[in-house]
Amino acid sequence: MRISARRGLAALGVTLAVTAAGCAHSGAAAPSADPTGVQFDKAIHDRLPTEVKARNTLRFATDPSYAPMEAYAPDGRTIIGFDADLAAALGAVLGVSVTMVQSDFSTALDSTAAGKFDGVLSSMTDTAEREKKADFINYFSAGTSIVVQRGNPKGITDLKDLCGQVVAVEHTTVQEDLLHRSQGGCGTNPIDIKTFKTNADALLELRTGRAVATLNDFPPATQLANDERTRAHYQLASTVQYEPGLYGIAIPKKNTGLRDALREALDRLMRSGAYNDLLLRWGLSTGALQSSSINAGGSAAG
């Protein structure tokens, strides 16, 4: 399913043409100067790869099952969230249209390396293993939280409490890796790890009682516990964040020109205050970075 994403930039005074994937467009409208500082930067635009400037669009793979970072709007088609807004803001600086395209999280890096997408923007933690396939433009920080059913019927408060229990988790995530590493502390009573294609599938297992917990990054976990649509079903097992790491926009290693232009655009958003405005809009200020980086999470992230 091909999706276009656009939300929130109107609140920042930005005009940006975002089209449905595969549709023709007349080009992005360069936004006028505004108090947020989100505006077209021709110097950065000129440093984009020739093929990107020629088609005047970027396509990012994303898995829209991780609100408030990326999720479907009520229309069931449009992708919204902080990552979608960040993509649109980056496009505004670069003067190109940006499209967020639904993709399986587990295959997004390989699909991008094969040329299907320009990059991955999907709450993807920068790890040493993933850096073998892509370069990561670091833009956010988050750790892992344990999500349980409302009322916490099994009394889960820590990773050790998951020993002998069924835990649902999205496949190929750092949360799955964390669970496997935690098995060493369970002795002969290991965690029964069930993996799923999407985070939504893992949450369904928890909600229906087929799992006692799932692991999510702290922002989506907090959203589940607090949002009026989900808080009756989920809560945090504790306020602990395990193994904080850096999210990154994944760009194929061969495409250093696009990587560097996107990083410059991100730096521009950070300096102008627009980056912090977007974080505030989505209640994510605790994950703010003071500056961008390249592949800074690989040595530390789990």
Side-chain angles (χ1 to χ4, degrees):
M1 186 177 183
R2 293 180 173 183
I3 311 294
S4 66
R6 182 176 185 268
R7 182 181 178 185
L9 272 296
L12 298 181
V14 174
T15 302
L16 179 64
V18 183
T19 63
C23 297
H25 61 86
S26 59
S32 59
D34 65 90
T36 68
V38 181
Q39 55 186 313
F40 173 65
D41 189 311
K42 186 176 185 303
I44 302 177
H45 170 85
D46 289 346
R47 287 192 281 278
L48 284 168
T50 302
E51 63 272 17
V52 174
K53 289 187 286 188
R55 55 184 157 89
N56 205 31
T57 189
L58 289 171
R59 289 164 52 85
F60 289 141
T62 197
D63 172 15
S65 64
Y66 222 45
M69 304 305 293
E70 54 270 326
Y72 285 119
D75 65 10
R77 299 179 63 253
T78 305
I79 297 174
I80 62 173
F82 173 75
D83 280 353
D85 277 3
L86 179 64
L90 291 169
V93 174
L94 294 169
V96 299
S97 174
V98 179
T99 302
M100 298 283 273
V101 185
Q102 185 276 331
S103 176
D104 292 345
F105 188 87
S106 62
T107 60
L109 279 178
D110 290 331
S111 296
T112 298
K116 185 175 181 180
F117 308 109
D118 294 296
V120 181
L121 182 47
S122 190
S123 305
M124 184 169 281
T125 302
D126 175 6
T127 69
E129 187 64 26
R130 288 171 177 161
E131 285 177 14
K132 296 175 182 178
K133 296 183 177 182
D135 286 334
F136 285 79
I137 307 164
N138 305 125
Y139 68 94
F140 189 76
S141 176
T144 290
S145 296
I146 303 173
V147 181
V148 296
Q149 285 184 321
R150 175 60 63 180
N152 197 5
K154 296 294 184 179
I156 306 295
T157 61
D158 192 69
L159 288 171
K160 61 180 175 54
D161 297 327
L162 301 178
C163 296
Q165 305 287 351
V166 177
V167 179
V169 69
E170 187 174 5
H171 185 47
T172 72
T173 59
V174 295
Q175 285 75 33
E176 181 184 0
D177 293 341
L178 175 58
L179 287 172
H180 283 295
R181 290 196 303 276
S182 299
Q183 295 282 36
C186 291
T188 59
N189 194 31
I191 304 168
D192 186 358
I193 304 169
K194 304 293 187 184
T195 61
F196 296 88
K197 185 176 180 180
T198 71
N199 187 60
D201 294 333
L203 287 170
L204 180 61
E205 292 294 295
L206 174 59
R207 179 173 176 175
T208 55
R210 294 192 291 265
V212 304
T214 189
L215 302 189
N216 276 189
D217 286 322
F218 180 70
T222 302
Q223 171 106 347
L224 289 166
N226 294 328
D227 191 279
E228 62 182 11
R229 295 165 295 183
T230 55
R231 65 190 180 194
H233 306 290
Y234 307 109
Q235 72 178 64
L236 297 182
S238 73
T239 58
V240 175
Q241 291 190 54
Y242 300 94
E243 299 186 350
L246 295 175
Y247 287 0
I249 306 171
I251 304 297
K253 285 188 171 294
K254 64 183 179 181
N255 204 343
T256 56
L258 176 59
R259 179 200 68 192
D260 293 344
L262 280 167
R263 184 187 180 183
E264 285 189 70
L266 177 60
D267 285 340
R268 176 70 176 271
L269 293 175
M270 288 178 165
R271 291 193 303 269
S272 72
Y275 165 80
N276 285 326
D277 288 343
L278 289 178
L279 288 171
L280 184 63
R281 172 183 173 83
W282 291 100
L284 296 168
S285 296
T286 58
L289 299 182
Q290 297 304 308
S291 61
S292 69
S293 52
I294 302 291
N295 296 336
S299 61

